[in-house]
Structure formats: structure tokens, C-alpha cells
Coordinates of all heavy atoms in Angstrom, one line a residue:
M1 N 24.9 -6.5 3.2 CA 23.7 -5.6 2.9 C 22.5 -6.6 2.8 O 22.6 -7.6 2.2 CB 23.9 -4.8 1.7 CG 22.7 -4.0 1.3 SD 22.7 -3.1 -0.2 CE 23.6 -1.7 0.3
A2 N 21.4 -6.1 3.4 CA 20.2 -6.9 3.3 C 19.6 -6.7 1.9 O 19.9 -5.8 1.2 CB 19.2 -6.4 4.4
T3 N 18.8 -7.7 1.6 CA 18.1 -7.7 0.3 C 16.6 -7.8 0.6 O 16.1 -8.6 1.4 CB 18.5 -8.8 -0.6 OG1 19.9 -8.7 -0.8 CG2 17.8 -8.8 -1.9
A4 N 15.8 -6.9 -0.1 CA 14.4 -7.0 -0.1 C 13.9 -7.4 -1.5 O 14.2 -6.8 -2.5 CB 13.8 -5.6 0.2
L5 N 13.2 -8.6 -1.5 CA 12.6 -9.1 -2.7 C 11.1 -8.7 -2.8 O 10.3 -9.1 -1.9 CB 12.7 -10.6 -2.8 CG 12.0 -11.2 -4.0 CD1 12.6 -10.7 -5.3 CD2 12.1 -12.8 -3.9
L6 N 10.8 -7.8 -3.7 CA 9.4 -7.4 -4.0 C 8.9 -8.3 -5.2 O 9.6 -8.4 -6.2 CB 9.4 -5.9 -4.4 CG 9.7 -5.0 -3.3 CD1 9.7 -3.5 -3.8 CD2 8.7 -5.0 -2.1
T7 N 7.7 -8.8 -5.0 CA 7.1 -9.6 -6.1 C 5.8 -9.0 -6.3 O 4.9 -8.9 -5.4 CB 6.9 -11.1 -5.7 OG1 8.2 -11.6 -5.2 CG2 6.3 -11.9 -6.8
L8 N 5.6 -8.4 -7.5 CA 4.4 -7.8 -7.9 C 3.6 -8.8 -8.8 O 4.0 -9.3 -9.8 CB 4.6 -6.5 -8.7 CG 3.4 -5.8 -9.2 CD1 2.6 -5.3 -8.0 CD2 3.8 -4.6 -10.0
I9 N 2.4 -9.2 -8.3 CA 1.6 -10.2 -8.9 C 0.4 -9.5 -9.6 O -0.3 -8.7 -8.9 CB 1.1 -11.2 -7.9 CG1 2.3 -11.9 -7.3 CG2 0.2 -12.3 -8.6 CD1 1.9 -12.8 -6.1
G10 N 0.2 -9.7 -10.9 CA -0.9 -9.0 -11.6 C -1.1 -9.7 -12.9 O -1.0 -10.9 -13.0
K11 N -1.5 -8.9 -13.9 CA -1.8 -9.5 -15.2 C -1.7 -8.3 -16.2 O -1.9 -7.2 -15.8 CB -3.1 -10.2 -15.3 CG -4.3 -9.4 -15.2 CD -5.6 -10.2 -15.4 CE -6.8 -9.3 -15.4 NZ -8.0 -10.0 -15.6
P12 N -1.4 -8.7 -17.5 CA -1.4 -7.6 -18.5 C -2.8 -7.0 -18.6 O -3.8 -7.6 -18.5 CB -1.0 -8.4 -19.8 CG -0.4 -9.7 -19.3 CD -1.0 -10.0 -18.0
G13 N -2.8 -5.7 -18.9 CA -4.0 -5.0 -19.1 C -4.7 -4.5 -17.9 O -5.8 -4.0 -18.0
C14 N -4.2 -4.8 -16.7 CA -4.8 -4.4 -15.5 C -4.2 -3.0 -15.1 O -3.1 -2.8 -14.8 CB -4.4 -5.4 -14.4 SG -4.6 -4.9 -12.7
H15 N -5.1 -2.0 -15.1 CA -4.7 -0.6 -14.8 C -4.2 -0.4 -13.4 O -3.3 0.3 -13.1 CB -5.8 0.4 -15.2 CG -6.9 0.4 -14.2 ND1 -8.0 -0.5 -14.2 CD2 -7.2 1.3 -13.2 CE1 -8.8 -0.2 -13.3 NE2 -8.3 0.9 -12.6
L16 N -4.8 -1.2 -12.4 CA -4.3 -1.1 -11.1 C -2.9 -1.7 -11.0 O -2.1 -1.2 -10.2 CB -5.2 -1.8 -10.1 CG -6.6 -1.1 -9.8 CD1 -7.4 -2.0 -8.9 CD2 -6.4 0.3 -9.3
C17 N -2.6 -2.7 -11.8 CA -1.3 -3.3 -11.8 C -0.3 -2.4 -12.4 O 0.9 -2.2 -11.8 CB -1.3 -4.6 -12.6 SG -2.5 -5.9 -12.0
D18 N -0.7 -1.6 -13.4 CA 0.2 -0.6 -14.0 C 0.5 0.5 -13.0 O 1.7 0.9 -12.8 CB -0.4 0.0 -15.2 CG -0.6 -1.0 -16.4 OD1 0.1 -2.0 -16.4 OD2 -1.4 -0.8 -17.3
D19 N -0.5 0.9 -12.3 CA -0.3 1.9 -11.2 C 0.6 1.4 -10.1 O 1.5 2.2 -9.7 CB -1.7 2.3 -10.6 CG -2.6 3.1 -11.5 OD1 -2.1 3.5 -12.6 OD2 -3.8 3.2 -11.2
A20 N 0.4 0.2 -9.7 CA 1.3 -0.4 -8.7 C 2.7 -0.5 -9.1 O 3.6 -0.2 -8.4 CB 0.8 -1.8 -8.3
R21 N 2.9 -0.9 -10.4 CA 4.3 -1.0 -10.9 C 5.0 0.4 -10.9 O 6.1 0.5 -10.5 CB 4.2 -1.5 -12.3 CG 5.6 -1.7 -13.0 CD 5.5 -2.2 -14.4 NE 4.7 -3.4 -14.5 CZ 3.4 -3.4 -15.0 NH1 2.8 -2.3 -15.4 NH2 2.7 -4.6 -15.1
D22 N 4.2 1.4 -11.3 CA 4.8 2.7 -11.4 C 5.2 3.2 -9.9 O 6.2 3.8 -9.7 CB 3.8 3.7 -12.0 CG 3.7 3.5 -13.5 OD1 4.5 2.8 -14.1 OD2 2.7 4.0 -14.1
L23 N 4.3 3.0 -9.0 CA 4.5 3.4 -7.6 C 5.7 2.7 -7.0 O 6.5 3.3 -6.4 CB 3.2 3.2 -6.8 CG 3.3 3.8 -5.4 CD1 2.0 4.5 -5.1 CD2 3.7 2.8 -4.4
V24 N 5.8 1.4 -7.2 CA 6.9 0.6 -6.7 C 8.2 1.1 -7.3 O 9.2 1.3 -6.6 CB 6.7 -0.9 -6.9 CG1 7.9 -1.7 -6.6 CG2 5.5 -1.4 -6.1
G25 N 8.2 1.4 -8.6 CA 9.4 1.9 -9.2 C 9.8 3.2 -8.7 O 11.0 3.5 -8.5
S26 N 8.8 4.1 -8.4 CA 9.1 5.4 -7.8 C 9.7 5.3 -6.4 O 10.7 5.9 -6.1 CB 7.8 6.2 -7.8 OG 8.0 7.4 -7.1
V27 N 9.2 4.4 -5.6 CA 9.7 4.2 -4.3 C 11.2 3.6 -4.4 O 12.1 4.1 -3.7 CB 8.8 3.3 -3.4 CG1 9.5 2.9 -2.1 CG2 7.5 3.9 -3.1
M28 N 11.4 2.7 -5.3 CA 12.7 2.1 -5.5 C 13.7 3.2 -5.9 O 14.8 3.2 -5.4 CB 12.7 1.0 -6.5 CG 11.9 -0.3 -6.0 SD 11.8 -1.6 -7.3 CE 13.5 -2.0 -7.6
T29 N 13.3 4.0 -6.8 CA 14.2 5.1 -7.3 C 14.6 6.0 -6.2 O 15.7 6.4 -6.0 CB 13.5 5.9 -8.4 OG1 13.3 5.0 -9.5 CG2 14.3 7.0 -8.9
K30 N 13.6 6.4 -5.3 CA 13.8 7.3 -4.2 C 14.8 6.7 -3.2 O 15.5 7.4 -2.5 CB 12.5 7.8 -3.6 CG 11.8 8.7 -4.5 CD 10.4 9.1 -3.9 CE 9.6 10.0 -4.9 NZ 8.3 10.2 -4.5
L31 N 14.7 5.4 -3.0 CA 15.6 4.7 -2.1 C 16.9 4.3 -2.6 O 17.8 3.9 -1.8 CB 14.9 3.5 -1.5 CG 13.7 3.8 -0.6 CD1 13.0 2.5 -0.1 CD2 14.1 4.5 0.7
A32 N 17.1 4.5 -3.9 CA 18.4 4.0 -4.5 C 19.6 4.6 -3.9 O 20.6 3.9 -3.8 CB 18.3 4.2 -6.0
D33 N 19.6 5.8 -3.5 CA 20.8 6.5 -3.0 C 20.8 6.6 -1.4 O 21.6 7.2 -0.9 CB 20.9 7.9 -3.6 CG 21.2 7.9 -5.0 OD1 21.8 6.9 -5.5 OD2 20.7 8.8 -5.8
D34 N 19.8 5.9 -0.8 CA 19.7 5.9 0.6 C 20.6 4.8 1.2 O 20.3 3.6 1.0 CB 18.2 5.7 1.1 CG 18.0 5.9 2.6 OD1 19.0 5.6 3.3 OD2 16.9 6.3 2.9
P35 N 21.6 5.1 1.9 CA 22.5 4.1 2.5 C 21.9 3.2 3.5 O 22.4 2.1 3.7 CB 23.7 4.9 3.1 CG 23.1 6.3 3.3 CD 22.0 6.5 2.3
S36 N 20.8 3.6 4.1 CA 20.1 2.7 5.0 C 19.2 1.7 4.4 O 18.6 0.9 5.1 CB 19.4 3.6 6.1 OG 18.3 4.3 5.5
A37 N 18.9 1.9 3.1 CA 18.0 1.0 2.4 C 18.7 -0.3 2.0 O 19.9 -0.3 1.7 CB 17.5 1.7 1.1
P38 N 17.9 -1.4 2.0 CA 18.5 -2.6 1.5 C 18.6 -2.6 0.0 O 18.0 -1.7 -0.7 CB 17.4 -3.7 2.0 CG 16.1 -2.9 1.9 CD 16.5 -1.5 2.3
E39 N 19.3 -3.6 -0.5 CA 19.2 -3.8 -2.0 C 17.8 -4.3 -2.3 O 17.2 -5.1 -1.6 CB 20.2 -4.9 -2.4 CG 20.1 -5.2 -3.9 CD 21.0 -6.4 -4.3 OE1 21.7 -7.0 -3.4 OE2 20.9 -6.7 -5.5
I40 N 17.1 -3.7 -3.3 CA 15.8 -4.0 -3.6 C 15.7 -4.7 -5.0 O 16.2 -4.1 -6.0 CB 14.9 -2.7 -3.6 CG1 15.0 -2.0 -2.2 CG2 13.4 -3.1 -3.9 CD1 14.3 -0.7 -2.2
V41 N 15.1 -5.8 -5.0 CA 14.9 -6.6 -6.2 C 13.5 -6.7 -6.5 O 12.7 -7.1 -5.6 CB 15.6 -8.0 -6.1 CG1 15.3 -8.8 -7.4 CG2 17.1 -7.9 -5.8
L42 N 13.0 -6.4 -7.7 CA 11.6 -6.5 -8.1 C 11.5 -7.6 -9.2 O 12.2 -7.6 -10.2 CB 11.1 -5.1 -8.6 CG 9.7 -5.1 -9.2 CD1 8.7 -5.4 -8.1 CD2 9.4 -3.8 -9.9
E43 N 10.5 -8.5 -8.9 CA 10.1 -9.4 -9.9 C 8.6 -9.3 -10.1 O 7.9 -8.9 -9.2 CB 10.5 -10.9 -9.5 CG 9.7 -11.4 -8.4 CD 10.0 -12.9 -8.1 OE1 11.0 -13.4 -8.6 OE2 9.3 -13.5 -7.4
E44 N 8.2 -9.6 -11.3 CA 6.8 -9.5 -11.7 C 6.3 -10.9 -12.1 O 7.0 -11.6 -12.8 CB 6.5 -8.5 -12.8 CG 6.7 -7.1 -12.3 CD 6.2 -6.1 -13.3 OE1 5.0 -6.2 -13.8 OE2 6.9 -5.2 -13.6
R45 N 5.1 -11.2 -11.6 CA 4.5 -12.5 -11.9 C 3.1 -12.3 -12.4 O 2.4 -11.4 -11.9 CB 4.5 -13.5 -10.7 CG 5.8 -13.6 -10.0 CD 6.7 -14.8 -10.3 NE 6.0 -16.0 -10.5 CZ 5.8 -17.0 -9.5 NH1 6.3 -16.7 -8.3 NH2 5.3 -18.1 -9.8
S46 N 2.7 -13.0 -13.4 CA 1.3 -12.9 -13.9 C 0.5 -14.0 -13.5 O 0.9 -15.2 -13.6 CB 1.4 -12.8 -15.5 OG 0.0 -12.9 -16.0
I47 N -0.7 -13.7 -13.1 CA -1.7 -14.8 -12.7 C -2.1 -15.6 -13.9 O -2.6 -16.7 -13.8 CB -2.9 -14.3 -12.0 CG1 -3.7 -13.3 -12.8 CG2 -2.5 -13.6 -10.6 CD1 -5.1 -13.0 -12.3
L48 N -1.9 -15.1 -15.1 CA -2.2 -15.8 -16.3 C -1.2 -16.9 -16.7 O -1.5 -17.8 -17.4 CB -2.3 -14.8 -17.5 CG -3.3 -13.7 -17.4 CD1 -3.3 -12.8 -18.6 CD2 -4.7 -14.3 -17.1
D49 N 0.0 -16.8 -16.1 CA 1.0 -17.8 -16.3 C 1.2 -18.8 -15.2 O 2.0 -19.7 -15.3 CB 2.4 -17.1 -16.5 CG 2.4 -16.1 -17.7 OD1 1.7 -16.4 -18.6 OD2 3.1 -15.1 -17.6
D50 N 0.4 -18.7 -14.2 CA 0.6 -19.6 -13.0 C -0.7 -19.9 -12.4 O -1.4 -19.0 -11.8 CB 1.5 -18.9 -12.0 CG 1.9 -19.7 -10.8 OD1 1.1 -20.4 -10.2 OD2 3.1 -19.6 -10.4
A51 N -1.2 -21.1 -12.5 CA -2.5 -21.5 -12.0 C -2.6 -21.3 -10.5 O -3.7 -20.9 -10.0 CB -2.8 -22.9 -12.4
A52 N -1.6 -21.6 -9.8 CA -1.6 -21.4 -8.3 C -1.8 -20.0 -7.9 O -2.6 -19.7 -7.1 CB -0.4 -22.0 -7.7
L53 N -1.1 -19.1 -8.6 CA -1.2 -17.7 -8.3 C -2.6 -17.2 -8.7 O -3.2 -16.4 -8.0 CB -0.2 -16.8 -9.0 CG 1.3 -16.9 -8.5 CD1 2.2 -16.1 -9.4 CD2 1.4 -16.5 -7.1
H54 N -3.1 -17.7 -9.8 CA -4.4 -17.3 -10.3 C -5.5 -17.7 -9.2 O -6.4 -16.9 -8.9 CB -4.7 -18.0 -11.6 CG -6.0 -17.6 -12.2 ND1 -7.3 -18.1 -11.9 CD2 -6.3 -16.6 -13.1 CE1 -8.2 -17.5 -12.6 NE2 -7.7 -16.6 -13.3
A55 N -5.4 -18.9 -8.7 CA -6.3 -19.4 -7.7 C -6.3 -18.6 -6.5 O -7.3 -18.3 -5.8 CB -6.1 -20.9 -7.4
L56 N -5.1 -18.2 -6.1 CA -4.9 -17.4 -4.8 C -5.4 -16.0 -4.9 O -5.9 -15.4 -4.0 CB -3.5 -17.4 -4.4 CG -2.9 -18.7 -3.7 CD1 -1.4 -18.6 -3.5 CD2 -3.6 -18.9 -2.4
Y57 N -5.0 -15.3 -6.1 CA -5.1 -13.9 -6.1 C -6.0 -13.3 -7.2 O -6.0 -12.1 -7.4 CB -3.7 -13.3 -6.3 CG -2.8 -13.7 -5.2 CD1 -1.6 -14.4 -5.4 CD2 -3.0 -13.3 -3.9 CE1 -0.7 -14.7 -4.4 CE2 -2.2 -13.6 -2.8 CZ -1.0 -14.3 -3.1 OH -0.1 -14.6 -2.1
V58 N -6.8 -14.1 -7.9 CA -7.5 -13.6 -9.1 C -8.4 -12.4 -8.7 O -8.5 -11.5 -9.5 CB -8.3 -14.7 -9.8 CG1 -9.5 -15.2 -8.9 CG2 -8.9 -14.2 -11.1
E59 N -8.9 -12.3 -7.5 CA -9.8 -11.2 -7.1 C -9.0 -10.1 -6.4 O -9.7 -9.1 -6.0 CB -10.9 -11.7 -6.2 CG -11.8 -12.7 -6.8 CD -12.7 -12.2 -8.0 OE1 -13.1 -11.0 -7.9 OE2 -13.0 -12.9 -8.9
D60 N -7.7 -10.3 -6.2 CA -7.0 -9.4 -5.4 C -5.9 -8.6 -6.1 O -5.3 -7.7 -5.4 CB -6.3 -10.1 -4.2 CG -7.4 -10.8 -3.3 OD1 -8.4 -10.2 -3.1 OD2 -7.1 -11.9 -2.8
I61 N -5.7 -8.8 -7.4 CA -4.6 -8.1 -8.0 C -4.8 -6.6 -8.1 O -5.9 -6.2 -8.2 CB -4.3 -8.8 -9.4 CG1 -5.4 -8.6 -10.3 CG2 -3.8 -10.2 -9.3 CD1 -5.1 -9.0 -11.8
P62 N -3.7 -5.9 -8.1 CA -2.3 -6.4 -7.9 C -2.1 -6.7 -6.4 O -2.7 -6.1 -5.5 CB -1.5 -5.2 -8.3 CG -2.3 -4.0 -8.0 CD -3.8 -4.4 -8.3
V63 N -1.1 -7.6 -6.3 CA -0.7 -8.1 -4.9 C 0.8 -7.8 -4.9 O 1.5 -8.1 -5.8 CB -1.0 -9.6 -4.7 CG1 -0.4 -10.0 -3.3 CG2 -2.4 -9.9 -4.8
L64 N 1.3 -7.2 -3.8 CA 2.7 -7.0 -3.7 C 3.2 -7.8 -2.5 O 2.7 -7.7 -1.4 CB 3.0 -5.5 -3.4 CG 4.5 -5.1 -3.3 CD1 5.2 -5.4 -4.6 CD2 4.7 -3.7 -2.9
L65 N 4.2 -8.7 -2.7 CA 4.8 -9.4 -1.7 C 6.1 -8.8 -1.3 O 6.8 -8.3 -2.2 CB 5.0 -10.9 -2.1 CG 3.9 -11.7 -2.7 CD1 4.3 -13.1 -3.1 CD2 2.7 -11.7 -1.7
L66 N 6.5 -8.8 -0.1 CA 7.8 -8.4 0.4 C 8.4 -9.6 1.1 O 7.9 -10.1 2.1 CB 7.7 -7.2 1.3 CG 8.9 -6.7 2.0 CD1 10.0 -6.4 1.0 CD2 8.7 -5.5 2.9
N67 N 9.5 -10.1 0.5 CA 10.2 -11.2 1.0 C 9.2 -12.4 1.2 O 9.3 -13.1 2.2 CB 11.0 -10.9 2.2 CG 12.2 -10.0 1.9 OD1 12.7 -10.0 0.8 ND2 12.7 -9.3 2.9
G68 N 8.3 -12.6 0.2 CA 7.4 -13.7 0.2 C 6.2 -13.6 1.0 O 5.3 -14.5 1.0
K69 N 6.0 -12.5 1.7 CA 4.8 -12.3 2.5 C 4.0 -11.1 1.9 O 4.5 -10.1 1.4 CB 5.1 -11.9 3.9 CG 5.8 -13.0 4.7 CD 6.2 -12.6 6.1 CE 6.9 -13.8 6.8 NZ 7.3 -13.4 8.1
V70 N 2.6 -11.3 1.9 CA 1.8 -10.2 1.4 C 2.0 -8.9 2.1 O 1.9 -8.8 3.3 CB 0.3 -10.6 1.4 CG1 -0.6 -9.5 1.0 CG2 0.0 -11.8 0.6
H71 N 2.3 -7.9 1.3 CA 2.5 -6.5 1.9 C 1.2 -5.7 1.6 O 0.8 -5.0 2.5 CB 3.7 -5.8 1.2 CG 3.8 -4.4 1.6 ND1 4.2 -4.0 2.8 CD2 3.5 -3.3 0.9 CE1 4.2 -2.7 2.9 NE2 3.8 -2.2 1.8
N72 N 0.6 -5.9 0.4 CA -0.5 -5.1 0.1 C -1.3 -5.7 -1.0 O -0.7 -6.4 -1.9 CB -0.1 -3.7 -0.4 CG -0.8 -2.6 0.4 OD1 -0.1 -1.6 0.8 ND2 -2.1 -2.6 0.6
Y73 N -2.6 -5.4 -1.1 CA -3.5 -5.8 -2.2 C -3.9 -4.5 -2.8 O -4.0 -3.4 -2.2 CB -4.7 -6.5 -1.7 CG -4.5 -7.8 -1.1 CD1 -4.5 -8.0 0.3 CD2 -4.3 -9.0 -1.9 CE1 -4.3 -9.2 0.9 CE2 -4.1 -10.2 -1.3 CZ -4.1 -10.3 0.1 OH -3.9 -11.6 0.7
W74 N -4.3 -4.5 -4.1 CA -5.0 -3.4 -4.8 C -4.2 -2.2 -5.0 O -3.6 -1.9 -6.0 CB -6.4 -3.1 -4.3 CG -7.3 -4.3 -4.3 CD1 -7.6 -5.1 -5.3 CD2 -8.0 -4.9 -3.2 NE1 -8.4 -6.2 -5.0 CE2 -8.7 -6.0 -3.6 CE3 -8.1 -4.5 -1.8 CZ2 -9.5 -6.8 -2.8 CZ3 -8.9 -5.2 -1.0 CH2 -9.6 -6.4 -1.5
R75 N -4.1 -1.4 -4.0 CA -3.4 -0.1 -4.1 C -2.3 -0.1 -3.0 O -2.5 -0.4 -1.9 CB -4.4 1.1 -3.8 CG -5.5 1.2 -4.8 CD -6.1 2.5 -4.9 NE -7.2 2.6 -5.8 CZ -7.1 2.8 -7.1 NH1 -5.9 3.1 -7.6 NH2 -8.2 2.9 -7.8
I76 N -1.1 0.4 -3.5 CA 0.1 0.4 -2.7 C 0.2 1.8 -2.1 O 0.2 2.8 -2.8 CB 1.3 0.1 -3.6 CG1 1.1 -1.2 -4.4 CG2 2.6 -0.1 -2.7 CD1 0.8 -2.4 -3.7
D77 N 0.5 1.8 -0.8 CA 0.7 3.1 -0.1 C 2.2 3.3 -0.1 O 3.0 2.5 0.4 CB 0.2 3.0 1.3 CG 0.5 4.2 2.1 OD1 1.6 4.8 2.1 OD2 -0.5 4.7 2.8
P78 N 2.7 4.4 -0.8 CA 4.2 4.6 -0.9 C 4.9 4.7 0.4 O 6.0 4.2 0.6 CB 4.3 5.8 -1.8 CG 3.0 6.5 -1.8 CD 1.9 5.4 -1.5
L79 N 4.3 5.4 1.3 CA 4.9 5.6 2.7 C 5.0 4.3 3.4 O 6.1 4.0 4.0 CB 4.2 6.7 3.5 CG 4.8 7.0 4.9 CD1 6.2 7.4 4.7 CD2 3.9 8.0 5.6
R80 N 4.0 3.5 3.4 CA 4.0 2.2 4.0 C 5.0 1.3 3.4 O 5.8 0.6 4.1 CB 2.6 1.6 4.0 CG 2.5 0.3 4.7 CD 1.0 -0.2 4.8 NE 1.0 -1.5 5.4 CZ 0.9 -2.6 4.8 NH1 0.7 -2.7 3.5 NH2 0.9 -3.8 5.5
L81 N 5.1 1.3 2.1 CA 6.1 0.5 1.4 C 7.5 1.0 1.7 O 8.4 0.1 2.0 CB 5.9 0.6 -0.1 CG 6.9 -0.2 -1.0 CD1 7.0 -1.7 -0.6 CD2 6.6 0.0 -2.5
R82 N 7.8 2.3 1.7 CA 9.1 2.8 2.0 C 9.5 2.4 3.5 O 10.6 1.9 3.7 CB 9.1 4.3 1.9 CG 10.4 5.0 2.2 CD 10.3 6.5 2.1 NE 11.6 7.1 2.3 CZ 12.3 7.3 3.4 NH1 11.8 6.8 4.5 NH2 13.4 7.9 3.4
T83 N 8.6 2.5 4.4 CA 8.8 2.2 5.8 C 9.2 0.7 5.9 O 10.1 0.3 6.6 CB 7.6 2.5 6.7 OG1 7.4 3.9 6.6 CG2 7.8 2.1 8.1
A84 N 8.4 -0.2 5.2 CA 8.6 -1.6 5.3 C 10.0 -2.0 4.7 O 10.7 -2.8 5.2 CB 7.5 -2.3 4.6
L85 N 10.3 -1.3 3.6 CA 11.6 -1.6 2.9 C 12.8 -1.2 3.8 O 13.8 -1.9 4.0 CB 11.7 -0.9 1.6 CG 10.8 -1.5 0.5 CD1 10.8 -0.6 -0.7 CD2 11.3 -2.9 0.1
L86 N 12.7 0.0 4.5 CA 13.7 0.4 5.4 C 13.9 -0.4 6.6 O 14.9 -0.4 7.3 CB 13.5 1.9 5.7 CG 13.8 2.9 4.6 CD1 13.4 4.3 5.0 CD2 15.2 2.8 4.1
A87 N 12.8 -1.2 6.9 CA 12.9 -2.1 8.1 C 13.5 -3.4 7.8 O 13.8 -4.2 8.7 CB 11.5 -2.3 8.7
V88 N 13.7 -3.7 6.5 CA 14.3 -5.0 6.2 C 15.8 -5.0 6.6 O 16.6 -4.1 6.3 CB 14.3 -5.2 4.6 CG1 15.1 -6.5 4.2 CG2 12.8 -5.4 4.2
R89 N 16.1 -6.1 7.3 CA 17.5 -6.2 7.8 C 18.1 -7.5 7.4 O 17.5 -8.5 7.3 CB 17.5 -6.2 9.4 CG 17.0 -4.8 9.9 CD 18.1 -3.8 9.7 NE 17.5 -2.5 10.1 CZ 17.6 -1.4 9.3 NH1 18.1 -1.5 8.1 NH2 17.0 -0.3 9.7

């Protein structure tokens, strides 16, 4: 089975980051019973804990990476995320 690694980059107290976390969780829940979906792993990283991430993304959070590549900045489109996850092989 394929694995999709989602990395949500943000910081505490960021309302857009909270919205992104909720949306990603919702998409993951909806795909949990889909046999065509890959295993989905979510990790969260804070720009406050990593100077390199801060330098890269301070103006762009939240940032969602899919398997190490930027999938989206600021607002996550649930349909686009679902489609991208189902395309992971």
C-alpha cells in the first residue's frame, strides 16, 4: 500500500493553521475507509521551532506539503487535497 505523508507547517495561535488542521483531518477521516486511498500520515511542524522553516514560510503559513512537495499555501481546498491523495501510488 502506498503512503502519503502530509506535513502541515504553521504555528500556535494561527487561525488559518487551525482551519487547515481541521480540514485535513476531515479529508483524512473521509478517506479512512476508501480502499483506493493510500495510508495517510500527518505530521505538524511549527515555524517557531525550526529556523529554516521560519525563513521559508513565515509569510505563507499554513503550508501543506504532500510527500515533501508544497501542495497548498494559506487555505486548503478539500477536493483538491482528496484528489491529490487518491493519486498517490
Side-chain angles (χ1 to χ4, degrees):
M1 174 185 278
T3 300
L5 173 61
L6 293 173
T7 306
L8 182 60
I9 301 168
K11 70 177 183 179
C14 166
H15 74 279
L16 289 177
C17 301
D18 294 339
D19 292 347
R21 181 182 308 105
D22 292 344
L23 189 139
V24 169
S26 176
V27 171
M28 289 175 65
T29 299
K30 289 176 183 173
L31 288 177
D33 294 328
D34 187 330
S36 64
E39 176 185 359
I40 304 169
V41 177
L42 174 63
E43 70 174 14
E44 291 192 48
R45 311 265 314 267
S46 172
I47 62 169
L48 301 181
D49 298 331
D50 186 316
L53 289 178
H54 186 276
L56 283 172
Y57 300 121
V58 69
E59 298 294 326
D60 298 323
I61 62 171
V63 178
L64 183 65
L65 307 180
L66 173 55
N67 290 336
K69 296 181 181 177
V70 173
H71 173 73
N72 235 132
Y73 296 99
W74 303 306
R75 297 202 184 271
I76 311 302
D77 179 312
L79 181 57
R80 183 170 178 261
L81 177 57
R82 181 183 186 284
T83 300
L85 289 169
L86 290 173
V88 171
R89 299 282 172 233

